[in-house]
């Protein structure tokens, strides 16, 4: 019997990894494994469409806006369709929250899980060929499968997640996820149609020298953020901001650093959405040894008030996040 403490070799396929991890959990019944496979499959389809984006008529806006009042890109809508179709067909998720849909979708099946997803974050970068991503959170339903679902059932705090992850459609396409037992990264090999374990047990350095923020909003940042930026400049840190959350997050996860989207004049509550952006990345970063807060509260402890709620996000290397929190505490006086 193989010793489960033996790390799986680099090059293990996603399917084999999921099966191996499932075997380690006494009560695993396979539904979560299948849900992860369904997400990975949809990611392959979206990856193919993104890679053709420059060649066929799917770049640009479609002339409509989503619930956020943001210009919907053609690939936003396509990605939403692909993920909802894969999740509906898979049958493991019974409730879907999507950035692209105003209300949650109750599939009225017997799925045990609820998924919150940003099908394609950073989509405005599509036209300029900058990396973009999919972000997802997985929760258990709080009501019995098949029963009706209320908004209260859906608005669960991030600490209730059973899994979370992202797909990064970049120079290579990656799937990075956690089920609460560490973070593992898989690189997609399109010629084989397989994801291979390429980044086992990902951990973020406790400290870093990279800070990611849109400096253009400097004058409307809270004083604590402005002070922190000054401190970074004095220490000679590097400012790295791609303007695509998953890409900035992934770099900081690998190298150390902090991503900040605080309240601004344009977005007084912050820009990023709690349910399908912040919670997933907060679960991942804590599993990788980092931290995620609003600057004053731990992201995973926030009780959501509505599906598309925005919150400030400070996320990355623990020592850097704590330095920002310290400045906010000082600001409170
Ligand atoms: P700004 C993309 O729209 C996004 O949601 C994130 O991917 C990204 O980090 C952020 O917004 C960029 O926002 O205001 O700096 O352009």
């Amino acid at each position: 019997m193989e010793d489960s403490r033996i790390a799986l070799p680099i090059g293990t396929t996603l399917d084999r990894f999921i099966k191996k991890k499932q075997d380690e959990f006494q009560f695993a019944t396979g539904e979560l494994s299948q849900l992860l496979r369904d997400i990975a499959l949809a990611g392959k389809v979206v990856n193919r469409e993104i890679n053709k984006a420059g060649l066929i008529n799917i770049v640009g806006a479609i002339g409509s806006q989503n619930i956020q009042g943001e210009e919907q890109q053609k690939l936003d809508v396509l990605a939403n369709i692909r993920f909802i179709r894969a999740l509906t067909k898979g049958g493991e998720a019974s409730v879907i929250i999507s950035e692209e849909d105003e209300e949650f979708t109750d599939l009225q099946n017997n799925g045990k899980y609820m998924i919150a997803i940003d099908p394609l974050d950073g989509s405005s970068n599509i036209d300029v060929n900058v990396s973009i991503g999919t972000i997802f959170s997985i929760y258990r339903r709080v009501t019995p499968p098949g029963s009706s679902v209320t908004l209260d059932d859906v608005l669960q705090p991030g600490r209730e997640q059973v899994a979370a992850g992202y797909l990064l459609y970049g120079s290579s396409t990656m799937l990075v996820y956690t089920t609460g037992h560490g973070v593992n990264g898989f690189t997609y090999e399109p010629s084989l149609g397989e994801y291979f374990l390429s980044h086992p047990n990902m951990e973020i350095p406790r400290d870093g020298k990279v800070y990611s923020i849109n400096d253009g909003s400097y004058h409307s940042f809270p004083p604590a953020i402005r002070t922190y930026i000054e401190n970074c400049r004095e220490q000679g840190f590097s400012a790295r901001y791609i303007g695509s959350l998953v890409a900035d997050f992934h770099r900081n996860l690998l190298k150390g650093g902090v991503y900040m989207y605080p309240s601004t004049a344009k977005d007084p509550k912050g820009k990023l959405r709690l349910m399908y952006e912040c919670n997933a990345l907060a679960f991942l970063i804590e599993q990788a040894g980092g931290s995620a807060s609003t600057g004053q509260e731990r992201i995973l402890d926030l009780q959501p008030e509505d599906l598309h709620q925005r919150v400030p996000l400070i996320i990355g290397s623990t020592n850097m996040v704590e330095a920002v929190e310290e400045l906010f505490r000082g600001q409170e006086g």
Side-chain angles (χ1 to χ4, degrees):
M1 178 68 173
E2 195 174 59
D3 181 339
S4 64
R5 287 166 301 176
I6 295 170
L8 284 166
I10 295 266
T12 299
T13 64
L14 175 64
D15 272 351
R16 173 163 159 66
F17 182 88
I18 290 173
K19 177 77 177 73
K20 177 85 178 58
K21 294 301 177 184
Q22 179 185 317
D23 291 347
E24 289 174 356
F25 301 138
Q26 187 184 0
F27 303 109
T29 53
E31 287 102 334
L32 180 58
S33 297
Q34 188 49 48
L35 180 49
L36 290 168
R37 290 190 187 94
D38 294 340
I39 292 168
L41 173 62
K44 292 180 186 178
V45 176
V46 171
N47 175 66
R48 187 183 58 195
E49 286 164 347
I50 286 172
N51 288 344
K52 289 184 302 193
L55 300 173
I56 60 175
N57 180 26
I58 54 171
V59 298
I62 57 175
S64 62
Q65 296 190 335
N66 61 15
I67 162 72
Q68 334 285 335
E70 292 165 345
E71 199 59 38
Q72 283 185 300
Q73 304 293 318
K74 290 173 186 165
L75 272 173
D76 273 333
V77 174
L78 265 176
N80 195 41
I81 291 167
R82 296 298 186 198
F83 277 97
I84 294 211
R85 189 175 293 169
L87 293 166
T88 304
K89 193 166 183 305
E92 305 304 346
S94 53
V95 179
I96 302 175
I97 301 163
S98 170
E99 180 192 39
E100 300 304 323
D101 298 324
E102 185 164 356
E103 308 297 338
F104 66 84
T105 302
D106 178 356
L107 297 174
Q108 295 178 337
N109 60 23
N110 289 319
K112 284 167 59 177
Y113 295 101
M114 175 182 92
I115 187 162
I117 189 164
D118 183 352
L120 208 55
D121 178 78
S123 52
S124 55
N125 292 295
I126 294 167
D127 296 1
V128 294
N129 208 8
V130 164
S131 300
I132 51 183
T134 297
I135 308 170
F136 63 90
S137 284
I138 300 174
Y139 298 82
R140 283 188 195 81
R141 279 180 62 115
V142 294
T143 52
S147 61
S148 62
V149 182
T150 67
L151 188 57
D152 282 349
D153 301 333
V154 165
L155 295 177
Q156 298 186 41
R159 62 174 175 267
E160 297 302 323
Q161 292 172 89
V162 294
Y166 59 83
L167 285 136
L168 175 59
Y169 310 101
S171 49
S172 65
T173 289
M174 284 192 69
L175 169 63
V176 177
Y177 78 89
T178 182
T179 56
H181 303 277
V183 178
N184 290 281
F186 298 78
T187 298
Y188 183 54
E189 172 44 71
S191 65
L192 299 176
E194 288 278 10
Y195 294 90
F196 289 93
L197 180 63
S198 53
H199 297 69
N201 302 313
M202 299 175 82
E203 291 186 348
I204 185 170
R206 277 192 72 81
D207 237 325
K209 298 186 184 308
V210 169
Y211 64 106
S212 307
I213 192 166
N214 183 341
D215 192 72
S217 303
Y218 180 86
H219 292 297
S220 69
F221 288 151
I225 294 292
R226 293 205 299 270
T227 302
Y228 184 73
I229 292 172
E230 293 303 325
N231 294 347
C232 288
R233 290 169 176 165
E234 282 163 15
Q235 296 176 80
F237 288 3
S238 296
R240 292 283 185 274
Y241 191 68
I242 301 169
S244 185
L245 173 59
V246 175
D248 279 314
F249 178 90
H250 185 73
R251 181 206 51 246
N252 292 348
L253 171 57
L254 291 174
K255 307 283 187 189
V258 63
Y259 172 99
M260 299 173 280
Y261 209 110
S263 65
T264 64
K266 179 171 177 280
D267 291 302
K269 293 185 183 298
K271 176 181 182 182
L272 301 173
R273 275 52 63 103
L274 177 59
M275 287 301 291
Y276 40 79
E277 290 168 338
C278 301
N279 272 337
L281 299 182
F283 187 25
L284 279 164
I285 207 71
E286 290 197 2
Q287 284 290 313
S291 302
S293 86
T294 62
Q296 290 155 307
E297 295 175 85
R298 180 184 181 231
I299 292 287
L300 293 183
D301 286 337
L302 297 177
Q303 174 55 51
E305 290 155 12
D306 77 63
L307 289 181
H308 303 285
Q309 177 182 353
R310 298 174 190 267
V311 294
L313 179 66
I314 315 294
I315 188 168
S317 295
T318 292
N319 292 356
M320 302 178 87
V321 173
E322 287 179 351
V324 176
E325 291 172 335
E326 181 62 32
L327 289 167
F328 270 101
R329 281 192 291 272
Q331 183 182 296
E332 287 158 11

